[in-house]
Amino acid sequence: MGPARAADTVKVGAVLSISGPASFLGDPEDKTLKMYVDRINAAGGVAGKKIELIVYDDGGDASKARTFATRLVEDDKVSAMVGGSTTGTTMAMIPVFEEAKVPFISLAGAIEVVDPVRKYVFKTPHTDKMACEKIFENLKQRSLLKIAVISGTDGFGTSMRVQCLKVAGTYGIQIVADETYGPRDTDMTAQLTKIKNTAGVQAVINPGFGQGPAIVTRNYAQLGMSATPLYQSHGVASKSFIELAGPAADGVRLPAAALLVGDKLPDSDPQKKIVVDYKQTYEASAKQPVSTFGGHAYDGLFILVDAIKRANSADSDKIRDEIEKTKGFVGTGGIVTMSPTDHLGLDLTAFRMLEIKGGDWTLIQSGS
């Protein structure tokens, strides 16, 4: 690449789990980034520069992710990074981007990505702690205060379990059973039977992502536990979960982004236009249902694009400073206002409580 061409581009890296067990996250993220970078470039680019997007597939493997992060920094010389489909791959890459002083907008769920705050690390999805709080808020409204937890032992499931245990007391919630399962387990009947036989359980929460929560949901129905409310996390906020769980998913509640219920939002909702436009654009191009995971990539890309515009530069430090100044950004995940002490910029109002009915998402009104 000649110097003239290099000056006309801004290099953006992405390390995503496009294949492997977390492909339901990485595939829509990859499609979203490529689709919108093409659109941005066709419209003239950003700050007078075309975006050169460099994508690597880590297959959900943390050590591969770290290797690709090093390549993006040392060989590709990216100005910024959007990616990290899972908590595990993100945590493996953080030291690389921190040391290189390259801003990294992660697409992973766990709160540990941004707490403690690191200078160059940001993220777009709601945290697992927020998911616990939103679920507990709803449980408290329904006077369901004795609960069981069954969580995956993957990075996200482990982190969310810890967060739920930490904040339960604040909501007057008592955890009376606590079970786990491995990422490759194919039957959770034994753990759910223990929960079923625990006296006083009024609801069950399942922190996890991937196939595990769908298996839990199917086993739950098979054991005749459907009269006890089951809550999933935002880690299953895609149609693929409903397809995997089948009719057993009916009645399951979960906190998720407005994106899944865009058409059901009032016209006065500031997110409505953004989420409806993204859904239509994504589904027309990708020929598959929209998921919140692609939405996280959309938010990460456009937070970055806005920061590059304000910085009017491809300089990593200038871009980092502008990302941190993001204020009132309306995305698919909520309205984002970051600060030096908050590298996520979302509050609990960014989460909607949904219930699956008839194989589709429905919006639960506050207090019900």
Side-chain angles (χ1 to χ4, degrees), residues 300-318:
L301 176 64
F302 281 98
I303 286 169
L304 175 60
V305 165
D306 284 358
I308 294 168
K309 279 181 192 165
R310 294 194 303 272
N312 196 25
S313 168
D315 178 82
S316 292
D317 276 306
K318 288 177 181 170

Side-chain angles (χ1 to χ4, degrees), residues 28-267:
E29 291 163 356
D30 177 52
K31 287 182 166 79
T32 298
L33 290 178
K34 286 174 177 168
M35 183 191 317
Y36 280 94
V37 165
D38 284 349
R39 290 169 73 114
I40 290 163
N41 286 341
V46 52
K49 300 176 188 294
K50 294 288 176 78
I51 297 174
E52 184 183 340
L53 181 67
I54 301 159
V55 182
Y56 295 114
D57 175 14
D58 60 35
D61 182 312
S63 60
K64 276 188 188 170
R66 189 184 172 101
T67 301
F68 287 135
T70 304
R71 188 183 299 178
L72 285 172
V73 167
E74 293 179 0
D75 299 345
D76 301 316
K77 303 198 181 323
V78 295
S79 294
M81 157 80 178
V82 178
S85 300
T86 72
T87 299
T89 57
T90 288
M91 298 310 290
M93 293 189 284
I94 282 175
V96 178
F97 293 111
E98 274 289 296
E99 189 182 334
K101 299 182 176 179
V102 169
F104 172 20
I105 302 177
S106 169
L107 310 178
I111 194 170
E112 62 189 320
V113 175
V114 288
D115 183 10
V117 172
R118 298 168 181 88
K119 188 169 182 182
Y120 289 86
V121 181
F122 305 85
K123 83 184 203 87
T124 56
H126 316 78
T127 68
D128 44 8
K129 180 187 178 189
M130 290 167 70
C132 297
E133 291 171 335
K134 193 73 176 182
I135 291 168
F136 290 162
E137 209 176 64
N138 191 248
L139 285 169
K140 195 173 178 183
Q141 286 165 355
R142 299 172 79 188
S143 300
L144 304 173
L145 301 179
K146 288 191 173 181
I147 68 158
V149 176
I150 177 167
S151 47
T153 53
D154 54 84
F156 174 78
T158 301
S159 176
M160 183 169 164
R161 174 188 168 274
V162 169
Q163 294 305 321
C164 284
L165 295 181
K166 265 188 200 171
V167 300
T170 314
Y171 292 84
I173 301 281
Q174 188 184 349
I175 294 170
V176 295
D178 184 9
E179 297 289 332
T180 60
Y181 57 85
R184 290 185 176 81
D185 289 0
T186 55
D187 186 274
M188 287 54 152
T189 305
Q191 296 96 316
L192 288 169
T193 301
K194 283 188 196 171
I195 289 171
K196 188 181 180 183
N197 294 334
T198 301
V201 173
Q202 295 175 300
V204 179
I205 297 180
N206 179 197
F209 79 95
Q211 294 190 19
I215 296 167
V216 167
T217 304
R218 291 200 306 268
N219 290 163
Y220 203 81
Q222 286 158 1
L223 288 168
M225 295 174 71
S226 301
T228 305
L230 174 62
Y231 286 76
Q232 293 289 351
S233 76
H234 55 314
V236 304
S238 73
K239 268 288 172 71
S240 63
F241 165 73
I242 297 178
E243 286 162 11
L244 283 169
D250 259 39
V252 168
R253 289 191 176 192
L254 68 151
L259 175 59
L260 295 183
V261 285
D263 56 338
K264 300 175 177 78
L265 298 175
D267 291 344

